Amino acid sequence: MANTATPEQRLEAAARKHLDDTGRGNCKILSGYELIKGQYEFNLDCPTAGT
């Protein structure tokens, strides 16, 4: 089966996994955009400790 996810969707999934794997599962990915071809930046909302 072919992967039909867009590059942004695949990279967002990788960013989500990285956050989960590094103890930041409570962070939300708000948006993402391509900086240059093949490189994306994602804006996050991560609650501070104790809130």
Side-chain angles (χ1 to χ4, degrees), residues 16-43:
R16 172 82 269 151
K17 181 168 179 1
H18 175 72
L19 290 169
D20 294 342
D21 290 350
T22 57
R24 295 177 282 172
N26 60 342
C27 293
K28 294 179 185 175
I29 298 175
L30 301 176
S31 63
Y33 57 93
E34 190 172 31
L35 290 171
I36 60 173
K37 185 173 177 139
Q39 292 186 7
Y40 284 76
E41 179 170 287
F42 294 96
N43 297 307

Side-chain angles (χ1 to χ4, degrees), residues 26-27 45-51:
N26 60 342
C27 293
D45 179 21
C46 297
T48 57
T51 58

